[in-house]
């Protein structure tokens, strides 16, 4: 074998025994591999490469956790409001938010709530005086993906 030619079908041509190619646009491309032998003969094989668009699911983010707590007869009633937005910053209704309360004395309470028309999911718990922490464990909605890295995941309040 004298040489190899890979015509990727989009204008790119490679000349080596080991080749790869990244297509930068969707479409159907005819890729052709040609092997040229020392005696001058050639052999070619073509195939169609279908490049599909990359579909990126929109993000769901917890953009804020607002906590409040009321003390009544040494009992604390804590409320947490988790605001959910998409990657463009628009409020998202109908998203399911899973969150866990950490309560004074080491107790926990895991809850699930759905965001309302204002993109807010409401959580509540009660117990003794001390620090209450609400931690978002996940947000889900069909055709969306939870973006934990760019979310507010935890907030605390002490009463």
């Amino acid at each position: 074998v004298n040489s190899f030619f890979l015509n990727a079908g989009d204008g790119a041509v490679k000349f080596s025994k080991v080749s790869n190619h990244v297509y930068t646009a969707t479409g159907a491309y005819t890729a052709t591999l040609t092997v040229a032998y020392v005696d001058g003969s050639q052999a070619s094989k073509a195939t169609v490469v279908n490049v599909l668009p990359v579909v990126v699911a929109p993000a769901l983010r917890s953009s804020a956790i607002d906590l409040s707590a009321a003390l009544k007869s040494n009992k604390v009633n804590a409320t947490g409001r988790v605001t959910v937005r998409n990657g463009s910053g628009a409020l998202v209704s109908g998203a399911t938010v899973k969150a866990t309360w950490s309560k004074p004395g080491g107790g926990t309470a895991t809850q699930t709530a759905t965001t309302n028309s204002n993109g807010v999911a409401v959580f509540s718990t009660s117990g003794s005086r001390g620090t209450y922490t609400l931690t978002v464990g996940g947000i889900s909605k069909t055709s969306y993906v939870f973006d934990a890295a760019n979310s507010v995941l935890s907030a605390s309040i002490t009463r």
Side-chain angles (χ1 to χ4, degrees):
V1 176
N2 199 18
S3 56
F4 296 85
F5 305 94
L6 174 64
N7 181 333
D10 64 351
V13 179
K14 308 277 182 155
F15 304 96
S16 68
K17 291 181 183 178
V18 179
S19 294
N20 59 36
H21 181 68
V22 176
Y23 291 92
T24 58
T26 60
Y29 301 92
T30 301
T32 306
L33 176 64
T34 301
V35 178
Y37 296 95
V38 176
D39 66 7
S41 62
Q42 293 183 350
S44 294
K45 180 68 177 173
T47 190
V48 175
V49 177
N50 288 307
V51 179
L52 302 175
V54 175
V55 178
V56 178
L60 286 175
R61 297 180 179 135
S62 169
S63 63
I65 301 174
D66 298 309
L67 300 181
S68 61
L71 179 62
K72 184 175 181 183
S73 301
N74 273 344
K75 181 179 178 185
V76 174
N77 293 312
T79 302
R81 291 173 180 77
V82 176
T83 302
V84 176
R85 296 180 183 273
N86 65 20
S88 300
L91 296 167
V92 177
S93 63
T96 302
V97 181
K98 183 177 180 182
T100 301
W101 285 104
S102 297
K103 298 164 61 167
T108 61
T110 299
Q111 301 173 346
T112 301
T114 302
T115 56
N116 60 24
S117 60
N118 295 320
V120 176
V122 180
F123 300 89
S124 62
T125 193
S126 61
S128 61
R129 296 184 89 162
T131 300
Y132 290 77
T133 301
L134 184 63
T135 303
V136 174
I139 304 172
S140 60
K141 185 173 180 175
T142 303
S143 300
Y144 286 81
V145 63
F146 177 44
D147 180 9
N150 292 298
S151 291
V152 176
L153 296 177
S154 186
S156 298
I157 191 169
T158 302
R159 287 287 183 267

